[in-house]
Amino acid sequence: MKAKDPICGMDVDIDKSEKLGLTVTSKKKKHYFCSKQCKEKFEGKPKAPESKVDKVTSAERISIPITGMTCVSCAKTIENSIKKVKGVSDATINFAVEKARVEFNPLIAKKEDFEKAIEDAGYHVPKEKGKERVLNLKVIGMDNPHCVGIVGSALDKLEGIISKNLQVTEKATITYNQSVITSERIKKQIKDVGYEPIEGESRDVEKEAREKEIMSLKIRVLISAILGIPLLYFAMGPHVGLPIPHWNALTTALIQFFLTTPIILVGYQFYTRGFTAVIKTGTANMDTLVAIGTGSAYIYSLVATVLIFLGNPGFGEGDIYFEVAGLLIVFILLGRYLEAVAKGKTSAAMKKLMGLQAKTAIVVRGEKEIEIPIEEVNPGDIVLVKPGQKIPVDGKVTQGHSSVDESMISGESIPVEKAEGSKVVGATINKTGSFRFKAEKVGKDTALAQIIKLVEDAQGSKAPIQQLADIISSYFVPVVVSIAIVSSLLWFLLGFGFTFALTIFVAVLIIACPCALGLATPTAIMVGTGKGAENGILFKNAESLQVTHKLDTIVFDKTGTLTKGKPEVTDIFSIKAGKEDEVLRYGAIAEKNSEHPLGEAIIKGAKNKSILIKDPKKFDSITGKGIVAEFSGKTILLGNRKLFMDKKVDLNPVEHKLQEYENQGKTAMIVGLNNEIIGIIAVADTLKEHSREAVQELHDLNIQVVMITGDNKRTGEAMAKQAGISRILAEVLPEDKANEIKKLQKEGKKVAMVGDGINDAPALTQADIGIAIGSGTDVAIESGDIILIKDDLRDVVTAMNLSRKTMKKIKQNLFWAFFYNAVGIPLAAGVFYPWTGWLLSPIFAGGAMALSSVSVVSNSLLLKYKRL
């Protein structure tokens, strides 16, 4: 059921509005809203400033694969078509990855609306229908028609089988509804009638569509080339002295006609897509240029052939241009094929990531161990992992122990020991033992799936530098058509004849190439983000990849970022001699309900000394200061100077000890009982293995490095000195970190904040680039623009190097794309002809156009081999 949004007037799905809580009841009437903004406006709430997270959550985003695009103008055609759908707030088409990225209001629009818009524009969306899945089997023993009949009859008895293709070569392809039947049930049915089913890899619909498109191009290139070679021989042979039979004009025309017409039919999509774009969306694309250029040459030649047949003396062999139309199609199809193959290589990193996924899982159901496709694993399933197998999904070990190679997540080559209660991550490799674990995150929720989604999103986004190319591309085709018409008319009016003018017209249309412009940025972004993912660096969008190399200031959080984040108790000082264990006991009682790393260190220190830690009666955490707790009628104070100054407690008895610990880089926590200091617990954290090296590498790049910490200045300076950092922002509360970033930005700095992505979220959001340290299981940290999976700070430098090299490739690509069109179009228009006699043949123009796109993609691919 639908309702009207009282604010914007949009049609709203009532069920979705209810589910999302976008309803308001007033005066016994219920109102339904399309968005949070409309609801708040109705309630009279002021509009809050939009943050990075708001931008993500205020609308839904989806990615839709597209086949059939041949140039950046195609992308613009599709983009315009999608933007006309009601409820769409933004649409971006990435020509290089052949995907649409749509941001929309889910209460107004749905995926099917965008797919229809794409289809209406003349392109195709590869998709799997409903709940359909395809099962590929080798059925041992099904090697004759009789056996095929038996297996077929058995499958006919099952509900949920949509279609089947059984062959005497023991191959079976079965399409089934996974909501009705499982692959295991199908295989069991085949087993029950006496045959052994062995499962092959299930097909990936999108991958299959891409491969099908490349194969189709390959076949069309071969057919057109077989016809094009004799066409080239008969048309061009006389000009280079090759022996050609002395046919009359009509025979020559008919031979060229019969060779060219099948080539035109093979390239039919240039005409269907080219004219569909104009008719349905009002925009022209590269196919439009090819269709007009080759169509003009073909139709003119066809008319000339008819007139020669009728004996018109004004037409002869010199008016036949069939070879231009035919050979242009051959060259352009070849260029498209080479481009498709090259573009496939740009997503090699993506394919590598996807290849890490396990295909099947062994689950324990009842007393049986069943091997099922990974897609059928549900949260809560008990999964068995044997030695050497990939762990299929994320979960927690329930039985057994082993060591697991987690290098694909952590970058650490040493296997990690796993026992009951340990977390395991999908796609990591079990080494020695066998264990069972409970599946917790499956499908799109696994760590690997989140990494793949982040890389996909980054590859599908547009970098700001692409805006110029997009603006030029939107006007490109109409301008080129205008140049072709004006230049051909001008030459005709100057008395060079219709044939000369037609040559100019076709050459201008064919040599123009918006494809190179459209591919310049996204192909480099694809390779750059893919190379980053291979090195454990995830860029969340193309803009962050572009901006990172411009950074001049890097701010590191101390605890958990520069340091290991696992502090230990190093010293205990007691006012009363011999009472150190009592100081530690009261400190541990106060920290028992705390989750702070320093609190965990104190509790661990007390347990190591076998001190009994009882529960406090009351517990109050004071941010940035410490803890106040009550136990056995006594008030325990544990914290820094600020807490004790607030409580007006004299610090003089312990000041010298505080300074001593702080000068050593230790965090000193004062312990008090009933407003009287009883001692100090000193806790120290140590630098991560590569922190100092990372800081030095940044200094070598003339980058200013800043450390930000909640510790007092003396402690902060001691730790900063160890790391080689000279500028320290100390005693900064978590909520004030973002303000410190703002201050640096007001100094004119381009700032990156490096933090753990949770406590540092406001600062990560405020920074020009937020770099979140990820453990691999928390890769989708919303606040960060870049995620370092391996927890190695040297990757900050690697990210900057990758950004710089990617931008260099983009600028090279854009230069050559602009240079190619700036020189090629005037050359084809005959600008240099009066002085040099240079006139570009349409056939050479077609070859040059095809190679321009391939050269841009190939240049981007060179980035894969650069050292970071």
Side-chain angles (χ1 to χ4, degrees):
M1 289 178 67
K2 299 279 185 182
K4 287 277 185 188
D5 186 315
I7 298 298
C8 67
M10 291 282 194
D11 287 332
V12 177
D13 186 295
I14 288 176
D15 290 337
K16 282 188 178 179
S17 185
E18 292 270 14
K19 190 177 178 181
L20 295 171
L22 299 175
T23 62
V24 172
T25 303
S26 62
K27 296 181 181 179
K28 298 182 180 180
K29 184 179 178 182
K30 203 163 192 176
H31 303 280
Y32 301 89
F33 301 91
C34 68
S35 65
K36 185 181 175 184
Q37 287 79 7
C38 283
K39 180 186 174 186
E40 290 181 349
K41 194 171 182 181
F42 181 84
E43 292 174 325
K45 291 182 180 178
K47 187 179 178 183
E50 198 173 35
S51 70
K52 283 184 188 177
V53 176
D54 291 331
K55 286 177 183 176
V56 172
T57 56
S58 61
E60 191 171 316
R61 285 179 181 171
I62 59 168
S63 180
I64 305 172
I66 304 168
T67 57
M69 285 194 291
T70 55
C71 68
V72 71
S73 298
C74 296
K76 196 67 183 173
T77 300
I78 298 168
E79 192 173 299
N80 291 340
S81 186
I82 293 174
K83 282 182 176 177
K84 289 176 183 176
V85 177
K86 203 173 183 181
V88 173
S89 54
D90 189 33
T92 305
I93 313 300
N94 191 314
F95 173 45
V97 294
E98 296 181 298
K99 284 188 179 179
R101 199 159 171 261
V102 187
E103 187 174 298
F104 65 101
N105 188 324
L107 298 177
I108 300 168
K110 54 185 184 294
K111 185 181 178 183
E112 289 76 14
D113 299 332
F114 316 135
E115 290 176 349
K116 185 177 183 301
I118 293 165
E119 301 277 357
D120 287 346
Y123 302 88
H124 180 61
V125 178
K127 54 195 172 194
E128 208 165 7
K129 296 176 183 177
K131 296 278 187 177
E132 293 180 19
R133 286 197 61 79
V134 177
L135 180 63
N136 293 315
L137 296 173
K138 181 176 177 65
V139 183
I140 306 298
M142 191 181 69
D143 54 7
N144 60 72
H146 176 68
C147 293
V148 168
I150 292 172
V151 174
S153 298
L155 293 175
D156 287 340
K157 294 174 184 176
L158 298 176
E159 283 187 28
I161 301 292
I162 297 165
S163 67
K164 60 186 184 299
N165 180 15
L166 310 177
Q167 300 172 17
V168 293
T169 55
E170 299 186 327
K171 287 185 179 179
T173 303
I174 303 161
T175 305
Y176 65 98
N177 187 328
Q178 65 175 350
S179 62
V180 178
I181 192 169
T182 66
S183 61
E184 287 307 310
R185 180 68 188 89
I186 296 169
K187 287 190 282 186
K188 183 179 183 300
Q189 185 79 347
I190 295 171
K191 260 188 179 181
D192 289 346
V193 292
Y195 300 88
E196 185 65 32
I198 300 172
E199 188 172 356
E201 290 188 14
S202 59
R203 295 181 293 179
D204 183 308
V205 175
E206 186 182 333
K207 180 185 174 186
E208 192 176 74
R210 304 280 180 232
E211 289 174 350
K212 188 177 177 182
E213 189 174 24
I214 290 174
M215 182 54 68
S216 172
L217 275 169
K218 187 177 182 179
I219 293 167
R220 286 191 284 154
V221 167
L222 287 172
I223 293 170
S224 63
I226 289 167
L227 295 163
I229 290 169
L231 178 62
L232 180 65
Y233 184 88
F234 289 127
M236 297 296 175
H239 301 293
V240 292
L242 293 175
I244 301 290
H246 295 290
W247 290 315
N248 60 33
L250 180 60
T251 304
T252 301
L254 289 173
I255 289 172
Q256 289 192 25
F257 168 76
F258 286 116
L259 288 169
T260 301
T261 302
I263 296 174
I264 296 290
L265 293 173
V266 165
Y268 75 95
Q269 287 182 323
F270 292 120
Y271 305 96
T272 55
R273 289 174 183 162
F275 293 122
T276 298
V278 176
I279 294 165
K280 291 199 172 183
T281 66
T283 55
N285 56 31
M286 189 63 205
D287 286 334
T288 311
L289 294 181
V290 174
I292 294 171
T294 58
S296 300
Y298 182 82
I299 291 168
Y300 175 73
S301 301
L302 196 60
V303 171
T305 302
V306 172
L307 291 173
I308 291 169
F309 175 76
L310 295 174
N312 190 315
F315 286 82
E317 194 172 321
D319 295 295
I320 304 302
Y321 273 86
F322 281 122
E323 84 281 359
V324 170
L327 293 174
L328 279 175
I329 296 292
V330 176
F331 278 124
I332 295 167
L333 281 173
L334 176 61
R336 293 275 165 88
Y337 171 69
L338 294 173
E339 184 185 311
V341 171
K343 277 163 62 179
K345 291 178 182 176
T346 61
S347 58
M350 209 51 225
K351 290 173 186 172
K352 188 175 178 182
L353 280 173
M354 289 177 170
L356 293 173
Q357 293 174 310
K359 299 291 185 294
T360 60
I362 301 171
V363 297
V364 180
R365 288 180 179 165
E367 297 298 317
K368 292 184 178 180
E369 297 173 4
I370 306 169
E371 187 169 358
I372 62 172
I374 191 173
E375 296 86 357
E376 294 180 13
V377 178
N378 298 313
D381 276 344
I382 299 299
V383 183
L384 172 65
V385 185
K386 296 177 181 179
Q389 288 184 337
K390 281 184 180 179
I391 295 169
V393 295
D394 299 359
K396 187 182 286 186
V397 177
T398 58
Q399 185 182 334
H401 59 85
S402 183
S403 58
V404 175
D405 178 357
E406 294 188 339
S407 57
M408 58 79 63
I409 288 289
S410 65
E412 220 20 88
S413 58
I414 301 170
V416 180
E417 292 299 315
K418 300 291 180 182
E420 190 174 334
S422 300
K423 294 270 187 182
V424 289
V425 181
T428 55
I429 300 169
N430 183 31
K431 300 296 280 185
T432 52
S434 178
F435 63 89
R436 295 184 180 193
F437 73 93
K438 184 177 181 180
E440 293 182 338
K441 292 180 180 179
V442 302
K444 63 182 176 61
D445 296 322
T446 64
L448 181 62
Q450 290 182 53
I451 292 172
I452 290 170
K453 186 176 186 305
L454 280 172
V455 178
E456 277 185 330
D457 286 348
Q459 292 187 341
S461 63
K462 280 188 180 179
I465 196 172
Q466 195 175 342
Q467 290 173 356
L468 177 61
D470 286 348
I471 292 166
I472 292 171
S473 297
S474 64
Y475 296 104
F476 193 92
V477 174
V479 169
V480 167
V481 172
S482 301
I483 292 170
I485 293 169
V486 171
S487 57
S488 60
L489 277 175
L490 188 62
W491 285 111
F492 180 74
L493 294 174
L494 289 172
F496 281 80
F498 183 79
T499 302
F500 188 93
L502 179 65
T503 302
I504 293 288
F505 179 73
V506 175
V508 171
L509 290 179
I510 298 303
I511 201 167
C513 187
C515 309
L517 281 173
L519 290 167
T521 302
T523 52
I525 293 292
M526 282 180 71
V527 178
T529 51
K531 192 170 180 67
E534 286 178 351
N535 286 276
I537 302 164
L538 302 180
F539 291 88
K540 292 181 77 175
N541 51 55
E543 184 176 357
S544 60
L545 182 59
Q546 177 177 329
V547 172
T548 301
H549 79 288
K550 297 178 181 177
L551 297 169
D552 54 28
T553 303
I554 309 289
V555 180
F556 287 101
D557 175 52
K558 180 178 81 76
T559 306
T561 302
L562 281 168
T563 65
K564 292 177 181 175
K566 294 179 181 178
E568 296 179 352
V569 173
T570 57
D571 302 89
I572 302 169
F573 168 75
S574 175
I575 295 287
K576 295 179 181 178
K579 297 289 184 179
E580 286 79 8
D581 283 1
E582 187 176 332
V583 172
L584 184 58
R585 182 171 74 90
Y586 280 118
I589 290 169
E591 289 281 12
K592 190 166 185 183
N593 295 323
S594 170
E595 294 180 355
H596 195 281
L598 297 177
E600 290 177 5
I602 291 172
I603 291 167
K604 186 179 177 182
K607 286 180 177 177
N608 288 342
K609 289 195 168 192
S610 301
I611 294 172
L612 181 65
I613 309 169
K614 294 187 176 180
D615 290 319
K617 189 176 180 182
K618 286 184 181 179
F619 170 89
D620 185 21
S621 177
I622 303 170
T623 304
K625 296 178 182 178
I627 291 169
V628 178
E630 285 189 16
F631 175 72
S632 295
K634 299 173 183 177
T635 301
I636 305 171
L637 301 178
L638 175 73
N640 56 25
R641 287 180 177 83
K642 290 180 183 176
L643 177 67
F644 285 81
M645 287 168 69
D646 286 351
K647 300 293 182 182
K648 297 182 171 51
V649 178
D650 184 16
L651 292 168
N652 285 327
V654 291
E655 186 60 42
H656 68 289
K657 268 291 176 187
L658 284 174
Q659 291 183 22
E660 180 186 325
Y661 292 142
E662 288 165 359
N663 286 334
Q664 294 169 4
K666 297 171 183 176
T667 300
M669 289 180 284
I670 310 162
V671 184
L673 209 58
N674 292 332
N675 279 13
E676 184 180 334
I677 295 173
I678 62 171
I680 300 171
I681 301 173
V683 176
D685 196 0
T686 56
L687 285 175
K688 287 180 182 174
E689 186 180 355
H690 301 297
S691 291
R692 186 175 180 83
E693 187 180 342
V695 171
Q696 185 56 52
E697 287 180 12
L698 288 168
H699 282 153
D700 291 344
L701 293 172
N702 292 320
I703 305 292
Q704 182 182 27
V705 182
V706 181
M707 186 183 85
I708 193 166
T709 178
D711 285 341
N712 63 71
K713 192 172 182 180
R714 193 176 284 110
T715 304
E717 283 176 345
M719 185 59 71
K721 188 177 180 181
Q722 290 180 39
I725 299 172
S726 56
R727 186 168 180 180
I728 304 101
L729 302 173
E731 300 180 34
V732 181
L733 298 175
E735 60 268 27
D736 291 333
K737 287 183 180 178
N739 291 328
E740 293 296 333
I741 299 294
K742 271 186 192 175
K743 289 176 187 176
L744 290 169
Q745 288 170 327
K746 284 178 182 176
E747 294 175 19
K749 306 286 187 185
K750 203 80 172 172
V751 184
M753 170 70 191
V754 187
D756 62 13
I758 301 168
N759 297 329
D760 304 311
L764 287 165
T765 304
Q766 175 60 43
D768 296 286
I769 292 291
I771 302 177
I773 302 293
S775 63
T777 53
D778 291 318
V779 294
I781 301 169
E782 285 293 345
S783 312
D785 300 296
I786 301 172
I787 296 163
L788 307 181
I789 297 178
K790 293 189 291 187
D791 207 4
D792 186 338
L793 295 186
R794 292 177 300 178
D795 285 342
V796 174
V797 182
T798 305
M800 294 184 72
N801 288 336
L802 180 57
S803 171
R804 186 175 64 256
K805 288 176 181 178
T806 303
M807 287 308 300
K808 188 177 179 181
K809 281 294 173 195
I810 289 173
K811 288 171 183 176
Q812 287 172 359
N813 287 346
L814 287 172
F815 170 79
W816 286 114
F818 280 120
F819 179 79
Y820 164 82
N821 284 293
V823 173
I825 293 173
L827 181 62
V831 170
F832 307 109
Y833 183 72
W835 300 280
T836 64
W838 293 347
L839 187 65
L840 190 67
S841 163
I843 294 171
F844 286 112
M849 185 274 284
L851 289 174
S852 66
S853 297
V854 177
S855 64
V856 164
V857 178
S858 301
N859 187 46
S860 295
L861 286 170
L862 292 175
L863 184 60
K864 289 172 67 176
Y865 308 104
K866 293 279 186 183
R867 289 187 65 184
L868 299 178

